[in-house]
Amino acid sequence: MGVALTRSAQWTAAGYGTRTLEITPLNEVILKEIVMFVESFIYKHPQEAKYVFVEPLEWKTNLDPSAFESGYIVSETTVKSEEVDKDGQPLLFLSVPHIKIRSLGQLSRLLLIAKDRKLKEAQACIEANRDPVTKILGLDYNTVKEDTSTVNILDKITKDEDPESEIKMKVGMLLKQLDLHLLNHSLKHISLQICLNPTTVKNDIELLKHFSGKGEQTVLESIDYTSDYEFSNGCRAPPWRQIHGEICYVLVKPHDVETLCVTCSTEGVFLNGGKTEDEGEINYERKSEIYKDLVTFLKEKSAKFSENMSKQDIRFTEEWKKENEEPKEVPKKEKADALPKAFLASSKNILEKNQINFGKIQMTKRLEPTLNWKATVDFKKHKSLLRNTQEKKHGGRLGRSGPPVSPGRAQLVRKSAEKIEEILSDSSSENEEDEEPPDRRQEANADLPSEYWQIQKLVKYLKGGNQTATVIALCSMKDFNLAQETCQLAIRDVGGLEVLINLLDTDEVKCKIGSLKILKEISHNPQIRRNIVDLGGLPVMVNILDSPHKSLKCLAAETIANVAKFRRARRAVRHHGGITKLVALLDCAQSSAKPAQSSLYDARDVEVARCGALALWSCSKSNANKEAIRQAGGIPLLAHLLKTSHENMLIPVVGTLQECASEENYRAAIKAERIIKNLVKNLNSENEQLQEQCAMAIYQCAEDKETRDLVRQHGGLKPLASLLNNTDNKERLAAVTGAIWKCSISKENATKFREYKAIETLVGLLTDQPEEVLVNVVGALGECCQEYENRVLVRKCGGLQPLVNLLVGINQTLLVNVTKAVGACAVEPESMMIIDRLDGVRLLWSLLKNPHPDVKASAAWALCPCIQNAKYGPSAVTHCLY
């Protein structure tokens, strides 16, 4: 909070200690965020709300003693809180109009009492207590200093082993989080403003120099930079001031006033504290309002400048336009190089002082100091040179342009024939990310956000800190947006993955939990997943599945679920006994007499089972793992979990079943365990993902006639037909149409679908749908049209035209289904006439040239009824030969 108030809040230009907050939109945003934080503090952090400040916050309040009610001792002019510290002093004391508060809990209550005046009270408190964090936590936590960060709080923890200081540390961390939150809000506000840049400022100064001199008609006597050194980004301010957006400092001598020391920054131009007499250093503190540019500032400060400028206005305007039009002609490459760059040596100081990086915003909006030297090596040319060298070495172009084969995969190729057979058994039934992408590292000359460096500092504390520091560092790391790739790679690049995996081998449960929470988040990144496997993280996580701590089991299983997205990871889980242990996690509430009653489940056991099912879902994409799950007794446990009402657990359970149902052994076991009934029941759920997984499971299982009959007997056809009406979710629609296709193979089911008006809906889905939906829709119509009534219905609904149109496609599965559907419709003479008129016979004949044998066979079978029912018999199709 101190850093945000010092750097982002906008204060008036009065002397230090008496300055007040300006009435600006930015200040209003900051005040509202602080009020929201303090108001909710007593409810969100009741333990920390009791912490007693080192010094009380004091200010003049407009509140009347009568506004205080229960919990306070009230008189005409004073108010004391009943809540006191260990010395018996009240935590809130009001002696009109002065008020003293010594805890965040009392501060929270005060704002609730103030109601519509709480913003004014917050403003008065901040103006009277310019550095509130120092009063709350003490001088060791002075946030006006530029070295405050989470890392510094960790420093204090490592030095202070007093257990009573833990609450104080938590309060410090919460205030630090508020500080970052306020800075982010300030950034959003500031980034919308059009700001100055070094080029514009330099042009203005050079023009003013052109019109300056000793004569009476000149606009100024002199104008000079305080520093002759110019950085590569065009700034002359030191790097540790560039982080504040400052560009340069100028000494201006007007004709009628004393010399002015001016700061030119991205926010505008203002008067600073001038140069000190002793050391000649600049006092950077702002002493005036902020003006949009240097000319506007000087017009306000010097009447003579304003008068002479009006005389020179036409010439100055022409010169200014000329100067500012020139940069537009600079090539794009030079524009990119013109982005602000500061030296790496100075950036080290910037990082250690934990300054916020205001993001990569265009130059016209926000100036940003760079964290690197200007690159002296062209990395693209360097890579090109290496590539050419390799080509020469191989006598021409490289034969392989894809990613290099990893050592692990190369080793697998050299295995024996038995091992290769095992690897082939791991092949997935679905498309997945089995190609290992090249490992990407942050380029040395890339401008990286401040979070990248802050995370790397936290990783260093993970390596060398004590238990308390390690836990706090883990919590701090978790507060970053770990879904952002920059944060994920920051952890990896500094060796954080090795540290996090090593922490899983410790005996400290808190450290394990913190480590797994971070690994769970960052393992969504494909590169991180592979790094975790390469570092041997999966065996450690598999061992944690035996832990008595349920939270650890859950986190380990969820992380395994994220990592096991490629074959090598799934194989590692199986080889280290992970499948058996994950199946064991499903064994929750087995002792319950009525497992269908969710109230009998312990919430933690349910969560353990859910996470186990989630991991098995990822692992079940491997054929070998499917068999391992079956042998470990997973099917009865999955069937048992299907009886619960916990939708978040049902999704991975059904997902695992539908993956495994591609195997005949599983389909037989699913029938034996009477799982179809529960799949049908969950089709009526409101959860779209659960509906999708249940439909997919029915699609896999309905290859068997007995299963198709069970779906009908348990009332599953009607919900499937009704789900066709919602076409927004294409994944679910594909699963539902697939289930209808397989179920309609049975004539009894096809008749039911006609009763439920599913035929008309299917015809409506023949256009404007993705191929995976069309394949299933046409397949379902092909099966339904085996009955006369359904063929007539398809013709009356206008289904023949879109069916014939699909004969020109290239998807082989779709062509097989379309030809079957057209052939089924051609059995009816009236439909045959329409097919012939639409040129369907010629299209069927042309498919006999298709290279795919199944397409050829299906087209040939479809031509048979066409020939039989053609108006002029076989001669109707002979023209297709010519």
Side-chain angles (χ1 to χ4, degrees):
M1 185 164 67
V3 176
L5 293 177
T6 304
R7 298 178 189 163
S8 297
Q10 297 166 338
W11 298 84
T12 59
Y16 187 87
T18 60
R19 295 165 68 186
T20 59
L21 287 170
E22 295 177 352
I23 302 173
T24 64
L26 176 58
N27 282 348
E28 187 176 352
V29 168
I30 291 175
L31 282 174
K32 285 182 178 178
E33 292 298 322
I34 292 173
V35 167
M36 288 175 59
F37 171 81
V38 175
E39 269 190 320
S40 61
F41 196 91
I42 193 171
Y43 304 110
K44 291 183 178 180
H45 312 285
Q47 192 67 28
E48 289 77 12
K50 297 176 182 178
Y51 167 74
V52 180
F53 300 163
V54 175
E55 296 180 36
L57 298 179
E58 304 180 42
W59 72 93
K60 289 184 179 180
T61 180
N62 292 321
L63 293 178
D64 190 83
S66 60
F68 294 83
E69 297 177 354
S70 59
Y72 298 94
I73 303 169
V74 183
S75 66
E76 290 184 3
T77 58
T78 63
V79 176
K80 294 181 181 180
S81 64
E82 294 179 355
E83 188 179 8
V84 296
D85 61 10
K86 59 184 180 181
D87 297 325
Q89 298 296 320
L91 298 182
L92 181 147
F93 178 74
L94 169 63
S95 178
V96 179
H98 299 281
I99 188 169
K100 296 181 181 181
I101 291 183
R102 299 184 62 193
S103 77
L104 283 165
Q106 287 298 326
L107 199 58
S108 180
R109 291 190 181 95
L110 179 78
L111 292 180
L112 294 172
I113 292 169
K115 297 180 181 177
D116 56 342
R117 290 179 291 178
K118 55 192 172 188
L119 277 178
K120 289 191 176 294
E121 287 298 318
Q123 181 176 348
C125 177
I126 290 169
E127 290 175 349
N129 302 273
R130 288 291 306 281
D131 189 14
V133 178
T134 299
K135 291 192 173 184
I136 293 173
L137 300 172
L139 289 173
D140 289 342
Y141 298 82
N142 186 352
T143 52
V144 173
K145 295 179 181 178
E146 299 195 355
D147 62 345
T148 302
S149 66
T150 304
V151 176
N152 294 324
I153 295 176
L154 290 171
D155 271 331
K156 296 175 180 62
I157 296 174
T158 56
K159 295 173 184 176
D160 188 358
E161 298 292 343
D162 184 6
E164 294 183 0
S165 66
E166 185 176 352
I167 293 179
K168 184 176 181 180
M169 298 302 172
K170 289 181 180 178
V171 172
M173 292 297 298
L174 291 170
L175 293 177
K176 180 62 185 173
Q177 291 171 8
L178 172 63
D179 205 19
L180 292 174
H181 180 67
L182 294 177
L183 287 170
N184 285 333
H185 270 268
S186 302
L187 170 60
K188 290 178 184 177
H189 177 86
I190 293 169
S191 63
L192 298 176
Q193 301 174 356
I194 297 176
C195 302
L196 297 178
N197 59 60
T199 304
T200 304
V201 172
K202 185 176 182 179
N203 290 342
D204 286 352
I205 293 172
E206 293 301 323
L207 278 173
L208 287 171
K209 282 184 178 181
H210 183 68
F211 288 92
S212 299
K214 292 295 183 181
E216 288 293 328
Q217 299 302 317
T218 57
V219 294
L220 296 168
E221 285 189 14
S222 65
I223 177 169
D224 294 293
Y225 294 106
T226 59
S227 172
D228 294 329
Y229 185 81
E230 182 178 335
F231 289 94
S232 59
N233 62 353
C235 294
R236 294 174 185 260
W240 56 89
R241 298 305 302 178
Q242 288 183 37
I243 200 77
H244 298 284
E246 294 178 6
I247 299 171
C248 65
Y249 311 100
V250 185
L251 291 174
V252 183
K253 181 63 178 77
H255 290 290
D256 53 347
V257 294
E258 293 297 323
T259 301
L260 305 173
C261 190
V262 182
T263 297
C264 298
S265 72
T266 56
E267 295 179 354
V269 177
F270 57 87
L271 186 69
N272 58 43
K275 280 194 170 184
T276 58
E277 295 180 0
D278 298 336
E279 300 177 359
E281 293 184 356
I282 295 173
N283 179 358
Y284 300 114
E285 185 178 357
R286 180 162 62 89
K287 297 294 184 180
S288 73
E289 303 294 332
I290 299 177
Y291 297 86
K292 66 176 184 178
D293 55 40
L294 194 54
V295 174
T296 306
F297 169 82
L298 291 171
K299 281 184 177 180
E300 185 69 23
K301 297 297 180 182
S302 170
K304 188 69 174 175
F305 175 85
S306 182
E307 179 186 343
N308 289 350
M309 272 298 297
S310 62
K311 297 175 184 178
Q312 303 279 359
D313 194 39
I314 296 175
R315 285 184 60 200
F316 186 86
T317 303
E318 289 177 354
E319 292 286 339
W320 186 88
K321 286 182 178 178
K322 183 179 178 182
E323 290 287 337
N324 283 277
E325 283 173 1
E326 287 178 3
K328 295 180 182 177
E329 300 172 3
V330 177
K332 290 183 179 179
K333 185 176 180 181
E334 291 185 13
K335 283 186 180 178
D337 290 340
L339 287 172
K341 300 285 182 181
F343 286 99
L344 186 61
S346 59
S347 71
K348 182 179 179 182
N349 295 332
I350 295 171
L351 294 174
E352 290 180 353
K353 292 176 181 177
N354 194 39
Q355 303 300 323
I356 186 164
N357 183 341
F358 282 101
K360 297 179 182 177
I361 304 170
Q362 293 181 357
M363 176 63 77
T364 55
K365 293 185 177 180
R366 184 75 181 171
L367 177 66
E368 178 195 17
T370 182
L371 300 176
N372 305 289
W373 289 90
K374 188 171 182 179
T376 56
V377 178
D378 190 330
F379 286 91
K380 291 185 178 178
K381 289 182 180 178
H382 180 65
K383 289 180 180 178
S384 177
L385 183 62
L386 287 177
R387 193 180 297 113
N388 293 336
T389 305
Q390 289 178 346
E391 288 177 6
K392 289 178 182 178
K393 208 176 280 187
H394 289 271
R397 296 189 63 181
L398 292 174
R400 181 186 176 114
S401 60
V405 178
S406 67
R409 193 167 288 262
Q411 185 180 0
L412 288 175
V413 174
R414 294 193 297 268
K415 293 292 182 179
S416 63
E418 292 180 4
K419 189 66 178 177
I420 293 174
E421 184 179 354
E422 180 185 357
I423 294 170
L424 292 175
S425 72
D426 280 336
S427 61
S428 169
S429 58
E430 309 240 347
N431 292 330
E432 54 185 315
E433 49 176 4
D434 287 324
E435 290 296 329
E436 300 198 18
D439 196 22
R440 296 208 311 272
R441 297 276 171 179
Q442 297 291 340
E443 289 189 4
N445 63 339
D447 284 339
L448 299 171
S450 60
E451 290 87 349
Y452 184 88
W453 308 106
Q454 291 172 12
I455 287 176
Q456 292 206 344
K457 281 192 173 184
L458 289 172
V459 171
K460 292 177 182 178
Y461 278 91
L462 290 181
K463 293 179 178 179
N466 58 26
Q467 180 189 347
T468 307
T470 300
V471 172
I472 296 295
L474 289 169
C475 293
S476 301
M477 197 179 295
K478 183 69 173 65
D479 288 337
F480 285 92
N481 181 14
L482 296 179
Q484 185 179 350
E485 188 178 30
T486 303
C487 296
Q488 296 167 352
L489 298 183
I491 295 173
R492 183 198 66 176
D493 291 349
V494 78
L497 284 179
E498 293 93 324
V499 178
L500 291 171
I501 291 172
N502 287 339
L503 286 174
L504 299 181
D505 273 332
T506 65
D507 295 328
E508 298 298 333
V509 175
K510 290 182 180 179
C511 292
K512 288 184 178 180
I513 290 175
S515 176
L516 283 171
K517 282 184 176 181
I518 294 169
L519 288 170
K520 183 186 78 170
E521 295 296 328
I522 65 177
S523 57
H524 289 286
N525 185 312
Q527 295 180 49
I528 301 293
R529 285 199 282 265
R530 286 165 170 79
N531 292 142
I532 290 173
V533 175
D534 293 338
L535 293 169
L538 281 177
V540 184
M541 295 178 199
V542 168
N543 291 335
I544 291 176
L545 296 176
D546 291 327
S547 170
H549 297 277
K550 293 178 181 179
S551 297
L552 280 176
K553 289 182 179 180
C554 291
L555 289 168
E558 280 191 279
T559 309
I560 291 172
N562 291 339
V563 175
K565 298 292 186 183
F566 61 106
R567 293 175 184 171
R568 186 157 54 92
R570 292 193 290 268
R571 191 181 309 120
V573 173
R574 183 177 73 253
H575 284 178
H576 292 92
I579 300 297
T580 304
K581 294 179 180 180
L582 288 171
V583 169
L585 297 184
L586 304 179
D587 190 13
C588 75
Q590 284 294 302
S591 60
S592 174
K594 296 181 180 180
Q597 296 181 5
S598 59
S599 60
L600 296 177
Y601 283 80
D602 182 88
R604 290 175 298 176
D605 288 333
V606 171
E607 183 63 14
V608 170
R610 184 192 73 83
C611 295
L614 205 60
L616 287 174
W617 189 6
S618 294
C619 293
S620 63
K621 297 185 188 300
S622 160
N623 292 333
N625 285 352
K626 291 175 186 178
E627 181 60 23
I629 293 171
R630 190 183 67 81
Q631 291 180 358
I635 298 178
L637 293 174
L638 290 168
H640 176 78
L641 293 176
L642 269 179
K643 299 175 184 178
T644 72
S645 59
H646 299 278
E647 286 186 351
N648 60 341
M649 181 166 67
L650 286 171
I651 291 170
V653 167
V654 179
T656 305
L657 285 170
Q658 69 92 359
E659 284 287 350
C660 295
S662 60
E663 301 294 318
E664 188 175 351
N665 290 338
Y666 267 91
R667 293 198 291 271
I670 286 172
K671 282 189 297 183
E673 293 290 338
R674 300 180 180 179
I675 289 175
I676 300 298
K677 179 180 179 181
N678 290 305
L679 292 176
V680 168
K681 182 184 74 172
N682 288 314
L683 281 174
N684 297 306
S685 168
E686 296 296 324
N687 189 301
E688 292 188 1
Q689 191 179 4
L690 180 56
Q691 291 172 343
E692 176 189 340
Q693 296 303 324
C694 289
M696 278 296 297
I698 291 173
Y699 166 77
Q700 297 280 14
C701 296
E703 295 283 352
D704 179 70
K705 183 181 184 305
E706 186 179 348
T707 301
R708 295 195 294 269
D709 293 339
L710 287 173
V711 173
R712 182 181 71 255
Q713 292 166 9
H714 292 303
L717 301 182
K718 189 171 184 179
L720 284 173
S722 64
L723 287 174
L724 286 175
N725 296 316
N726 189 340
T727 60
D728 294 334
N729 188 333
K730 299 302 180 184
E731 290 79 8
R732 185 184 64 174
L733 184 61
V736 170
T737 51
I740 291 175
W741 172 19
K742 296 302 180 182
C743 289
S744 60
I745 295 174
S746 296
K747 291 184 178 180
E748 299 86 352
N749 291 348
T751 303
K752 284 290 184 181
F753 282 131
R754 183 174 70 251
E755 293 176 9
Y756 298 140
K757 308 294 182 183
I759 307 296
E760 296 92 325
T761 309
L762 287 170
V763 170
L765 294 174
L766 286 172
T767 55
D768 300 326
Q769 296 298 332
E771 280 192 345
E772 56 267 24
V773 175
L774 287 174
V775 167
N776 296 336
V777 170
V778 175
L781 288 174
E783 297 297 340
C784 291
C785 286
Q786 302 301 318
E787 289 191 348
Y788 171 77
E789 293 85 355
N790 291 342
R791 291 195 294 270
V792 173
L793 195 55
V794 169
R795 173 171 53 81
K796 290 182 177 179
C797 291
L800 293 177
Q801 173 79 60
L803 281 173
V804 172
N805 292 343
L806 291 173
L807 287 171
V808 297
I810 58 173
N811 185 305
Q812 294 176 348
T813 307
L814 179 58
L815 287 174
V816 170
N817 287 352
V818 171
T819 50
K820 182 176 181 179
V822 172
C825 292
V827 173
E828 187 194 12
E830 291 185 27
S831 297
M832 177 57 211
M833 292 175 61
I834 298 174
I835 292 170
D836 191 22
R837 188 170 67 249
L838 295 172
D839 207 19
V841 177
R842 185 185 64 81
L843 294 172
L844 283 172
W845 197 277
S846 68
L847 289 176
L848 294 176
K849 301 175 184 178
N850 191 287
H852 197 277
D854 290 343
V855 176
K856 285 182 182 179
S858 186
W861 281 111
L863 282 170
C864 293
C866 292
I867 295 172
Q868 292 172 358
N869 293 294
K871 185 176 180 181
Y872 300 104
S875 62
V877 295
T878 55
H879 67 280
C880 297
L881 297 171
Y882 304 102

